[in-house]
Amino acid sequence: MQIIEGLYYSKDHEWVKVEGDKAYVGISDFAQDALGDIVFVELPEIGTNLIQGEALGSIESVKAASDVYCPVSGKVIKVNEILVDDPALLNEDPYENWMICVELTEKDQLDQLMNSAEYEDFCNEEA
Amino acid sequence: MSTLKRTVLFNEHIKLKANMIDFGGWEMPVNYPEGILEEHLYTRKKAGIFDVSHMGRFVVTGKEAAKFLQHVLTSNVMALNVKQAQYTIIPNENGGAIDDAYVYRFGEDEYWLVVNASNAEKDWTHLTNEIKNFDAEIENISDDYAMLALQGPESKNILSKLSKDPYLNEPAKNSLDIIELDGKEVRISKTGYTGEPMGFELFLKAEDAPAIWNSLMENGAKPMGLGARDTLRLEAGFPLYGHEFGTDINGEEIKIFSVPLAKFAVSFAEDKGDFIGKKALLNQFEALQRIMKKDFSDITDLPKILRLFALTDKGIGRNGFKVFKDGVEVGYVTSGTMVPYYKTEVNGLNDVQKEEKDIRAIGIALVDSHVVVNDQIEVEIRGKRAKGIIVPYHMKADIPPFTRPIIYG
């Protein structure tokens, strides 16, 4: 299982990559592996104000549907539309294929997330 | 996990790095590393093997074996010749299903009955109770035999590498025999749960199963988990107990004739005589005749019917989602997901299966009986309604060796 250094991770297996005041959000390798073949992705509208913990959209595999929760509050400024046409990209490379980009409104929320080492321990406990 | 039951192929699944889950008290593979989509496609193009040893296997023997089965099954067992199999249902008095099953006639008075894993105990109690009035015996051989399914266009070629038995060239569906395969005695039938025109089920002595499983793989079959088993049967439009049989989402029993396949599994033939649930089933059948003529004046005996649907909007209609027609709720999804397919090039009578793949959202819904094929419907997905259509089938198997997906919208 792949975990990338320098990202923030949530207990729901989303990752956050911070670039200045912006943050990219996606799902982790652990999440894509648990879901299996991803066949459907639903993303929010640009301009949506998401609150930390709110569903940003959903991912469906053959087996099940899962909500994806936004680990940080922010206004959606970009969505990765390619995923809607090719959801399997999330299985192929979940870190390259971000889902949304938000303008961070509460940067200190990042302190509540895990770093890569903490997240690795967390996944080992879950497995 | 230690309390879960395991099949004799458990170690093979672990070696293959299967993702194991609890399925009705059995620790079973849901998928192997390639994933459900690739597995599904491989069965449609080449051949997949399934460990179905978790299913219940009972043998009925004795002078009144057939008479007993006529009483406890919906099908006409008298119409079954030696070396033939048939699909059947174990009914209750109300015309509901205790289980659906397959019956295989291996000898004059020797019938094998294969039932769903999750119902095996309940079936056993029911059948052993009913058999008391007959000169017949029933034996549970679930632990003595393993069961594999080998399904797909290449399945016969794979078996031909392991056996020279002329049975393999027998074209008829539901035909069965006892043959030697890779040096082992195997009971084999041309049956399956994938809709493939070419497919076999194999009964093996439990100790022979791992070797045969591996031989089949060495000769080109790939393992299929329960995930692909479900998407394949859904694409074929086959019912699954607990979804399309049993009780519905409101706790009411699903009527046997609500399942389209019941037409082939229920017989009112004279030589069958009386059987459990016959009266209720006749009433359902008569209601179905009216419904098929679009006469909905009296549908009290069959208020709901299972229909196949395809979504034309984006989204996936999953189990339990509500179904609407003209804005009115008419039922719910009993099984639904996305299934992959190979595109076909339409070429007169010789449609060609292409390399190009796609994926589609399909399902089965239990809806009011007035909802018919070609009706526009909507499925409510997380508060939003996605458009769909009631369809007659999701694929066809009329041009062997390949199935053809039928795409709507």
Side-chain angles (χ1 to χ4, degrees):
Chain A
M1 190 189 55
Q2 199 192 10
I3 294 173
I4 295 202
E5 273 182 53
L7 304 184
Y8 295 92
Y9 294 89
S10 74
K11 287 181 177 172
D12 298 314
H13 303 282
E14 291 94 10
W15 56 259
V16 179
K17 182 182 177 188
V18 179
E19 282 182 7
D21 289 335
K22 288 188 296 185
Y24 289 86
V25 178
I27 61 163
S28 72
D29 194 33
F30 183 98
Q32 72 77 22
D33 187 59
L35 285 163
D37 292 320
I38 293 168
V39 290
F40 185 79
V41 174
E42 200 171 49
L43 298 170
E45 305 256 327
I46 289 173
T48 308
N49 285 302
L50 291 169
I51 301 162
Q52 185 183 39
E54 193 180 353
L56 67 86
S58 55
I59 292 180
E60 300 200 39
S61 68
V62 182
K63 286 181 274 183
S66 315
D67 283 333
V68 180
Y69 302 101
C70 199
V72 285
S73 300
K75 184 179 173 179
V76 179
I77 50 174
K78 280 194 282 184
V79 296
N80 193 359
E81 288 284 353
I82 300 164
L83 294 177
V84 175
D85 293 324
D86 194 357
L89 289 172
L90 284 174
N91 290 120
E92 286 162 27
D93 192 342
Y95 296 110
E96 185 64 32
N97 293 292
W98 52 276
M99 292 179 70
I100 61 166
C101 178
V102 296
E103 208 168 62
L104 285 171
T105 48
E106 292 175 58
K107 231 174 165 178
D108 54 358
Q109 287 174 342
L110 294 167
D111 300 339
Q112 299 161 23
L113 302 174
M114 292 174 271
N115 64 30
S116 58
E118 289 163 341
Y119 181 61
E120 193 170 349
D121 290 342
F122 177 76
C123 288
N124 288 336
E125 277 170 40
E126 286 236 317
Chain B
M1 297 289 266
S2 60
T3 56
L4 293 178
K5 287 180 274 189
R6 293 171 173 180
T7 75
V8 289
L9 293 167
F10 177 83
N11 289 333
E12 308 309 311
H13 303 315
I14 298 299
K15 274 186 230 161
L16 290 163
K17 298 188 164 47
N19 182 8
M20 304 297 283
I21 57 152
D22 173 358
F23 180 76
W26 288 83
E27 195 171 359
M28 295 297 289
V30 65
N31 62 269
Y32 299 88
E34 284 198 37
I36 296 171
L37 299 177
E38 284 305 313
E39 288 174 29
H40 178 119
L41 290 170
Y42 196 81
T43 291
R44 294 282 183 240
K45 189 178 267 305
K46 302 278 190 187
I49 38 169
F50 306 73
D51 177 11
V52 287
S53 306
H54 60 305
M55 298 186 83
R57 285 169 291 286
F58 307 143
V59 179
V60 179
T61 52
K63 220 169 70 189
E64 290 191 326
K67 200 176 165 197
F68 162 66
L69 291 171
Q70 291 288 49
H71 173 67
V72 293
L73 302 178
T74 56
S75 58
N76 186 6
V77 180
M78 292 298 182
L80 200 56
N81 295 322
V82 176
K83 296 191 178 182
Q84 271 186 349
Q86 80 186 177
Y87 177 63
T88 193
I89 296 161
I90 306 173
N92 61 25
E93 284 296 349
N94 312 321
I98 295 173
D99 203 354
D100 66 334
Y102 233 91
V103 57
Y104 308 75
R105 189 177 182 191
F106 281 107
E108 195 56 39
D109 292 320
E110 183 190 341
Y111 296 87
W112 289 38
L113 194 64
V114 172
V115 302
N116 283 297
S118 51
N119 290 334
E121 236 179 87
K122 175 181 78 172
D123 296 340
W124 178 253
T125 306
H126 170 68
L127 295 172
T128 49
N129 188 45
E130 292 292 333
I131 206 167
K132 286 174 191 159
N133 304 320
F134 295 86
D135 183 7
E137 292 78 46
I138 186 164
E139 189 188 352
N140 187 346
I141 54 150
S142 304
D143 292 338
D144 308 320
Y145 281 83
M147 190 173 172
L148 305 182
L150 175 67
Q151 304 279 306
E154 283 293 318
S155 53
K156 188 179 97 177
N157 295 339
I158 290 170
L159 290 171
S160 298
K161 292 178 193 165
L162 301 171
S163 175
K164 295 282 164 268
D165 199 288
Y167 162 80
L168 294 176
N169 294 317
E170 166 63 53
K173 272 265 171 197
N174 286 321
S175 64
L176 56 83
D177 215 333
I178 303 174
I179 68 167
E180 196 169 287
L181 189 75
D182 211 14
K184 311 276 198 298
E185 187 188 277
V186 170
R187 283 164 194 262
I188 185 167
S189 71
K190 277 200 75 179
T191 45
Y193 192 43
T194 57
E196 280 298 315
M198 184 67 74
F200 298 86
E201 288 177 306
L202 285 72
F203 300 90
L204 323 160
K205 294 207 180 67
E207 61 271 24
D208 295 340
I212 299 259
W213 169 269
N214 286 311
S215 285
L216 293 171
M217 280 200 303
E218 281 156 22
N219 284 286
K222 280 192 184 177
M224 302 287 128
L226 293 174
R229 182 168 158 80
D230 192 48
T231 54
L232 287 160
R233 72 91 191 170
L234 181 62
E235 193 178 30
F238 292 154
L240 173 62
Y241 194 95
H243 293 254
E244 285 82 32
F245 281 117
T247 46
D248 70 11
I249 206 168
N250 304 311
E252 279 178 45
E253 191 159 54
I254 299 172
K255 295 179 189 296
I256 285 176
F257 271 102
S258 294
V259 181
L261 215 56
K263 285 198 287 287
F264 305 103
V266 182
S267 167
F268 302 115
E270 208 172 311
D271 59 351
K272 182 164 171 67
D274 198 16
F275 59 97
I276 294 173
K278 183 178 181 181
K279 193 165 173 286
L281 286 168
L282 263 173
N283 290 337
Q284 292 176 20
F285 179 71
E286 279 160 17
L288 180 66
Q289 298 304 304
R290 290 191 288 275
I291 290 161
M292 284 166 75
K293 289 177 200 141
K294 301 205 174 179
D295 166 11
F296 306 115
S297 59
D298 181 6
I299 55 169
T300 45
D301 286 314
L302 200 60
K304 298 252 174 195
I305 283 197
L306 286 150
R307 298 280 188 196
L308 306 183
F309 70 89
L311 286 186
T312 45
D313 276 349
K314 275 194 175 253
I316 306 174
R318 295 204 179 262
N319 302 0
F321 287 7
K322 287 175 182 170
V323 176
F324 295 82
K325 183 189 157 189
D326 302 327
V328 180
E329 191 177 331
V330 289
Y332 73 97
V333 177
T334 53
S335 295
T337 184
M338 275 216 165
V339 304
Y341 64 94
Y342 283 113
K343 293 187 172 179
T344 47
E345 194 177 297
V346 181
N347 181 15
L349 286 173
N350 295 302
D351 285 13
V352 181
Q353 190 183 62
K354 297 200 291 187
E355 288 300 319
E356 207 183 328
K357 313 170 220 181
D358 208 338
I359 191 160
R360 55 182 171 150
I362 59 170
I364 307 177
L366 185 65
V367 291
D368 294 344
S369 295
H370 62 77
V371 177
V372 296
V373 168
N374 291 328
D375 275 357
Q376 304 285 326
I377 54 150
E378 288 180 309
V379 177
E380 191 170 279
I381 305 171
R382 291 183 291 276
K384 282 183 234 164
R385 292 194 189 167
K387 286 193 181 69
I389 183 167
I390 301 290
V391 303
Y393 30 69
H394 292 308
M395 65 169 210
K396 282 194 161 189
D398 51 352
I399 313 170
F402 298 109
T403 56
R404 290 185 293 150
I406 307 295
I407 313 296
Y408 303 87

